[in-house]
Amino acid sequence: MEHTKQLLRVAEIETVAPYVNRYRFTAAQGAPAPFLPGQFLCLYYEIDGATAVRPYSIASSPKEAAQGGYYDLFIHVGGSFTSRWLGRHITVGDTVMASHPLGEFCICPQTPQKIVGISGGMSVTPLRSMVRSIVDESTDREITLFCGWDTSREVLFREEFMQLARECSRVHVQFSLVQDPQPGDKQGYFTSQDILRETDAHAAAYYLCGPQEMYHSLHDGLIAGGVTLERYHQEIPGELHSPDYVTAPAEQYPLTIQTDSGSITVTANANESVLVALERAGLSPRAYCRSGSCGFCRSLLLEGQVWTDPGRAKPPENSVFHPCCSFPRSALTVALPK
């Protein structure tokens, strides 16, 4: 995995939907790093003494980076505190440190000719990168999109996707809305039967990006319908903010970090991941996906107990654990990777 960084400059900011901004980033030095359609990059923040890193899917195509010199990121600035801070404080001309592009949820040389993209809400952004890469002939694949939304006011890329589908015979798109569907839309959510009826389960690669509930509702039906695990891809599910067992007011525990020169003790809340506690203390812990997928944050749990989301990572094994999806259940002592 590539752990190098690049300095980006904000070239444009456009509000495209309620609380959603398009940020166009150009390289502050040299050229933006190349990537595969569907990959993400991380932005690094320093906010009031706290440090943080957050992943965002690249919504533009590799050719737009190579020839136009930019990445487009669509960010919900009414979400987490980092995104809200970005919406309030970052302006055109500012620079932001970022990772190089990362992730395996992407079109690669081994990807089959036919692709099925299934999205729920704002998670559609990596599929936009795939669609644009097909239209600008960065790749010769064919894609069928199923884009689901709750309300019409939230919908992104409807007109763009419909126009690209008219221009390119290798792009097909359908929309579903729970409320206020337009003519031709499905009312409600797409089911596995809806998707299998329109696609080739025995040949296509399926890319799902959305909330965990969408994955749960579609997985078994798609697999039973002939989609093999090798051709079934889910985007990382996003950061878990608080496990269900936590009740207010949240308990607090001492969190001790062992270093070569001694130790540092900070406070960890039961309703925040160990990673967030480390960031809140300004310690700049390693992190990328924040979902237990990439393993970049793996650390040593020397003392204490944590709860780890079983859907994202294994419980601590040989003292190794994932701070991004582990929550304190007692006083902790940890050692961070160097």
Side-chain angles (χ1 to χ4, degrees):
M1 181 181 293
E2 176 63 74
H3 299 315
T4 54
K5 298 179 181 179
Q6 55 181 331
L7 186 64
L8 302 180
R9 177 171 284 107
V10 180
E12 297 176 15
I13 302 174
E14 177 189 11
T15 298
V16 297
Y19 299 107
V20 179
N21 289 347
R22 175 184 64 83
Y23 291 85
R24 177 160 292 181
F25 290 93
T26 58
Q29 302 166 348
F35 67 98
L36 297 173
Q39 287 189 308
F40 68 92
L41 53 77
C42 295
L43 300 183
Y44 294 85
Y45 300 88
E46 293 186 9
I47 305 171
D48 298 330
T51 63
V53 55
R54 293 293 187 275
Y56 300 100
S57 296
I58 303 170
S60 45
S61 77
K63 183 175 284 189
E64 289 171 312
Q67 298 183 0
Y70 64 84
Y71 305 121
D72 277 345
L73 307 184
F74 289 77
I75 299 176
H76 193 294
V77 295
S80 66
F81 86 95
T82 49
S83 296
R84 290 198 306 272
W85 182 89
L86 183 79
R88 294 170 182 170
H89 298 284
I90 292 296
T91 61
V92 171
D94 288 344
T95 57
V96 179
M97 191 63 71
S99 70
H100 278 206
L102 302 158
E104 299 178 357
F105 185 87
C106 57
I107 299 175
C108 62
Q110 295 74 35
T111 301
Q113 184 68 24
K114 293 185 177 181
I115 297 170
V116 178
I118 307 165
S119 68
M122 271 288 297
S123 297
V124 67
T125 48
L127 300 183
R128 182 181 186 265
S129 177
M130 295 183 186
V131 169
R132 295 186 72 84
S133 73
I134 290 170
V135 173
D136 70 18
E137 299 184 346
S138 299
T139 178
D140 64 354
R141 305 307 197 277
E142 178 177 353
I143 192 166
T144 301
L145 293 176
F146 296 87
C147 303
W149 297 87
D150 288 330
T151 67
S152 57
R153 67 191 297 268
E154 301 172 304
V155 176
L156 296 178
F157 313 137
R158 177 191 286 274
E159 291 78 12
E160 178 181 351
F161 284 168
M162 297 297 287
Q163 180 63 33
L164 293 176
R166 288 191 290 268
E167 294 175 357
C168 180
S169 63
R170 292 181 290 119
V171 175
H172 319 279
V173 60
Q174 298 184 34
F175 287 87
S176 70
L177 278 91
V178 176
Q179 300 177 27
D180 305 318
Q182 293 188 15
D185 294 345
K186 171 178 175 156
Q187 181 159 21
Y189 298 118
F190 286 119
T191 67
S192 56
Q193 291 80 11
D194 295 329
I195 295 163
L196 291 169
R197 193 162 45 242
E198 303 289 336
T199 60
D200 187 349
H202 299 284
Y206 288 70
Y207 288 83
L208 286 74
C209 44
Q212 197 71 45
E213 294 79 7
M214 188 188 86
Y215 298 160
H216 289 159
S217 70
L218 296 178
H219 176 273
D220 291 349
L222 292 176
I223 297 300
V227 181
T228 64
L229 292 176
E230 292 77 16
R231 291 183 286 104
Y232 181 94
H233 309 278
Q234 287 184 181
E235 190 187 32
I236 53 178
E239 184 174 16
L240 180 65
H241 294 287
S242 180
D244 293 338
Y245 66 80
V246 172
T247 58
E251 295 181 86
Q252 293 185 326
Y253 302 102
L255 168 60
T256 300
I257 301 94
Q258 296 283 13
T259 69
D260 291 339
S261 57
S263 63
I264 302 169
T265 299
V266 300
T267 299
N269 297 322
N271 65 346
E272 67 183 5
S273 68
V274 176
L275 177 62
V276 169
L278 294 166
E279 291 177 333
R280 191 165 46 77
L283 297 176
S284 301
R286 287 179 18 166
Y288 277 148
C289 76
R290 309 184 73 85
S291 301
S293 176
C294 71
F296 189 47
C297 72
R298 281 182 297 198
S299 304
L300 292 179
L301 179 62
L302 304 178
E303 294 180 10
Q305 295 182 331
V306 296
W307 177 86
T308 299
D309 181 357
R312 299 169 183 249
K314 294 180 179 179
E317 185 175 357
N318 297 324
S319 299
V320 176
F321 81 117
H322 291 70
C324 70
C325 50
S326 297
F327 293 73
R329 301 301 303 272
S330 70
L332 304 177
T333 301
V334 305
L336 304 180
K338 298 179 181 179

